[in-house]
Each structure stands twice: as C-alpha cells, then as structure tokens.
Amino acid sequence: MSGKRDILITEVALRDGSHAINHQFTVEQVVSVARALDEANVPFIEVSHGDGLAGSSLQYGLSRTNEMELIEAAVSVCKQATVGVLLLPGIGTIKDLNAAVKLGVGMARIATHVTEADISAQHIARSKELGLFTVGFLMMSHMAPPEKLVEQAKLMESYGADAVYVVDSAGALLPHEVAERIRALKQSIGVEIGFHAHNNLSLAMANTLAAIQEGATRIDGSVRCLGAGAGNTQTEVLVAVLERMGIETGIDLYKMMDLAEEIVAPILQVPQEITRDSLVLGYAGVYSSFRLHAERAAKKFGIDSRDILIELGKRKAVGGQEDMIIDVAAEILKQRSAAGLR
Ligand SMILES: CC[C@H](O)CC(=O)C(=O)O
Ligand SMILES: [Mn+2]
C-alpha cells in the first residue's frame, strides 16, 4: 500500500446500507464502522439517512437515531477520511446541509432523478460556497440514454459540481450500457466522473470495472454489500480486484476484510444476497430502496412482492414515489379479487 490513489472510493454502507437495515443504525455502530474505515485508509465515507439528509419520515422510514448524531459521531473518529452526506433536493434542504457542515462534513452529493438535474442548481451552488467537495449524483441512470445523461451532467457541471456520478440505482444496467454512458460523459464534461452500482443482477463488479475502463475515477462501494437491494459493489472485494489489476486505491485490504467480517456482518439483519426480490429490482429497473417497502406491502395485502416490483417498473416509478407501492399493491389485490383469484 503506497498511499497513492488511482481510484477514489466512497464507502456508502453508512448511508445506502441504512435502507437494508430499516434505518436502524446506532451511534455505536457508526462509530465502530467509521473508525475502522478510517484506519483502513478509506478516503470518503458517506453518512446520512438512506434517502439522504432529512429522509427520516413515515414515507421513507423513520431513523432510529437522528442522522446528525450519526454524522457527528463519524466525524469525531475520522482522522484522515472525509465524511460526506447525500442530499436529495425536496427531501433535504439547504438548512440541513448547513447543519451537517457545522458538524464537520467535507463532501456533499446532490442527488436528482437522471432527467431532473435542474433542481440541483442552488444546492450545488451552496455546497460549493460552503467549501465542500460537491458531487452531482444522477440517479436511475438506466432510464436515460447517454445523450440525455450528458445534457444533465453538463447542467450539474455548470452549477459548479466537482464530479458527476452515473448512479445505477436499480442495478439494471449491463456492462456495455455503463461503458457507453461513462464514455459519453468522458467526451463531454471536464469534471471527474463517478459510478455507483447495485448488485441486483450480480453485475456491480463487472459494471464498476467497465466504468473504470472508460475513465471513471470515483467509485462507490459498500463493505459486505451493506446497501439497498442486493447492496453495492462490495468494497473489500473491489479493493482486492483493483489491487490485482495494479490500480491503487490506497486502502488496506486486510483491514477492510476484518471490518467486513467482524464489525459489519453482525450488523446485518440477514446476510446480503441476491434474493428473488433484489433480482427483480434489477430485472424490472426498480429503485433498490423500494425492496423492503414492497416486501412489507406484499405481506400486508397477501400478494407476491415480485408482482408489485414488476408493476412499479412498468410505471417507471422514481425515488420519492414510495407511496405508489401501497397503491400498486392495493390495485393488484383488487384485480385478483375481481378475477375470482382470491
Ligand atoms: C433514495 C436515495 C438513493 O438511495 C440514492 C442511491 O444510493 C441510489 O439511487 O442508488
Ligand atoms: Mn444506491
């Protein structure tokens, strides 16, 4: 480990992983994970509610612990890592960003649906004013062709973003689709390009490597796959694979493996694997964070969660439309009853 970094990894387990554990992180868990990540020399650690700052709500899931306490705890144990936050304009506000900055965060990722970058202008501008490394985070990137993605990334760049991410929120992209998107951005924007994967079709690693091959220099990972759906690119595995390829992350592999095994595995409510529901998320192109909501609705209405997810995919539901999950479940039940199937 030379300390040189060819690729900058952002660890998202303490934010994306919040979805997988119903937003139940405790201060003690965040302290132990963040401290170990910092000791392993991970450069960026994202901490927030799964849906970003101020996501704690009945609609998205109530946090067990106020996220500001979690952020403060993470910052307090990080000696070298930058702690970052996610903000979805409309869920979180500039007031929330200001509060997070007071606690010592150094990076903000402003996330919008892939076709709605224009709503990020004031949040990106404020983040820059606050001196933060600022990322534009284009979610559900499988829903837009490369030309559209370029148009939206250019908007984020024009607002001042230091990097723009292609975000495969549904884990639906195939490696050649990732490659064409990153290639198009590389040819069109001047800021760094990042990639965020979900492993619902078992393609997170392949997609990440395709992104790196086309010039992405910022990559998200979640240790032990602690992320929504089937999780993200597994950080400790990514570190090992990149090391084998001669690509330096600056991260200590043994320390990452120990953290995964000894600290993160016990936090998981169930081991992260590609279940039938996470597979359907990728297959149907549905937001990974919808999985547990759909499973709860399926149980309540006595129907198959896969039918709910497939219908959400057909309706092209986007992040923030979690209320549609109940509507869809109720409609499926009504149709079944009308057809005499129940
Ligand atoms: C709801 C926010 C979302 O979880 C952000 C993200 O990680 C993604 O779109 O994949
Ligand atoms: Mn995600």
Side-chain angles (χ1 to χ4, degrees), residues 6-296:
D6 300 317
I7 294 291
L8 288 164
I9 291 186
T10 296
E11 170 57 53
V12 297
L14 296 178
R15 197 280 304 162
D16 213 313
S18 167
H19 293 297
I21 60 159
N22 277 313
H23 316 289
Q24 295 301 299
F25 277 126
T26 63
V27 166
E28 294 71 27
Q29 288 169 338
V30 167
V31 161
S32 55
V33 175
R35 180 182 285 127
L37 288 168
D38 186 65
E39 285 171 357
N41 211 28
V42 171
F44 294 93
I45 303 171
E46 190 167 67
V47 185
S48 312
H49 181 279
D51 292 84
L53 293 178
S56 180
S57 57
L58 286 178
Q59 168 94 334
Y60 305 120
L62 290 168
S63 295
R64 173 168 175 178
T65 314
N66 182 317
E67 67 192 333
M68 293 297 167
E69 277 180 51
L70 301 180
I71 293 165
E72 190 171 25
V75 169
S76 74
V77 292
C78 284
K79 295 194 172 81
Q80 61 74 35
T82 299
V83 174
V85 292
L86 184 78
L87 188 152
L88 278 68
I91 295 181
T93 63
I94 283 176
K95 201 168 144 221
D96 301 309
L97 187 60
N98 292 339
V101 168
K102 286 206 181 105
L103 301 176
V105 310
M107 175 174 76
R109 307 207 297 175
I110 312 299
T112 73
H113 183 63
V114 64
T115 54
E116 297 184 4
D118 57 339
I119 63 166
S120 66
Q122 58 169 315
H123 303 80
I124 289 179
R126 178 64 185 149
S127 173
K128 289 295 292 176
E129 267 169 33
L130 289 165
L132 305 180
F133 187 84
T134 305
V135 174
F137 204 69
L138 289 168
M139 302 186 293
M140 297 293 267
S141 281
H142 74 284
M143 289 175 77
E147 315 77 71
K148 186 71 183 173
L149 206 61
V150 165
E151 173 198 291
Q152 299 295 301
K154 279 186 172 170
L155 286 179
M156 287 176 154
E157 182 179 32
S158 75
Y159 305 146
D162 299 301
V164 177
Y165 262 67
V166 173
V167 181
D168 184 15
S169 311
L173 286 170
L174 304 177
H176 74 277
E177 295 172 320
V178 173
E180 62 198 22
R181 282 165 174 72
I182 303 286
R183 194 179 312 135
L185 290 193
K186 189 76 190 162
Q187 287 164 359
S188 321
I189 60 173
V191 295
E192 273 187 278
I193 298 167
F195 180 65
H196 172 105
H198 279 273
N199 201 36
N200 303 327
L201 294 178
S202 196
L203 288 172
M205 183 63 70
N207 285 348
T208 296
L209 296 183
I212 291 172
Q213 195 164 3
E214 295 296 336
T217 51
R218 289 187 168 255
I219 297 294
D220 286 4
S222 58
V223 54
R224 201 77 174 196
C225 263
L226 178 48
N232 311 89
T233 312
Q234 193 166 345
T235 314
E236 64 279 23
V237 183
L238 179 62
V239 170
V241 170
L242 294 182
E243 213 170 298
R244 287 278 309 271
M245 294 170 73
I247 298 174
E248 303 203 32
T249 62
I251 297 174
D252 184 313
L253 176 59
Y254 262 44
K255 286 187 178 165
M256 277 309 292
M257 291 192 286
D258 290 345
L259 152 67
E261 202 90 6
E262 292 160 18
I263 302 179
V264 178
I267 294 175
L268 295 175
Q269 291 164 345
V270 285
Q272 278 293 72
E273 53 191 10
I274 302 175
T275 61
R276 57 190 171 188
D277 284 330
S278 40
L279 194 166
V280 169
L281 294 169
Y283 172 73
V286 176
Y287 233 90
S288 294
S289 55
F290 282 10
R291 181 171 71 92
L292 294 185
H293 294 280
E295 285 172 5
R296 278 192 293 268

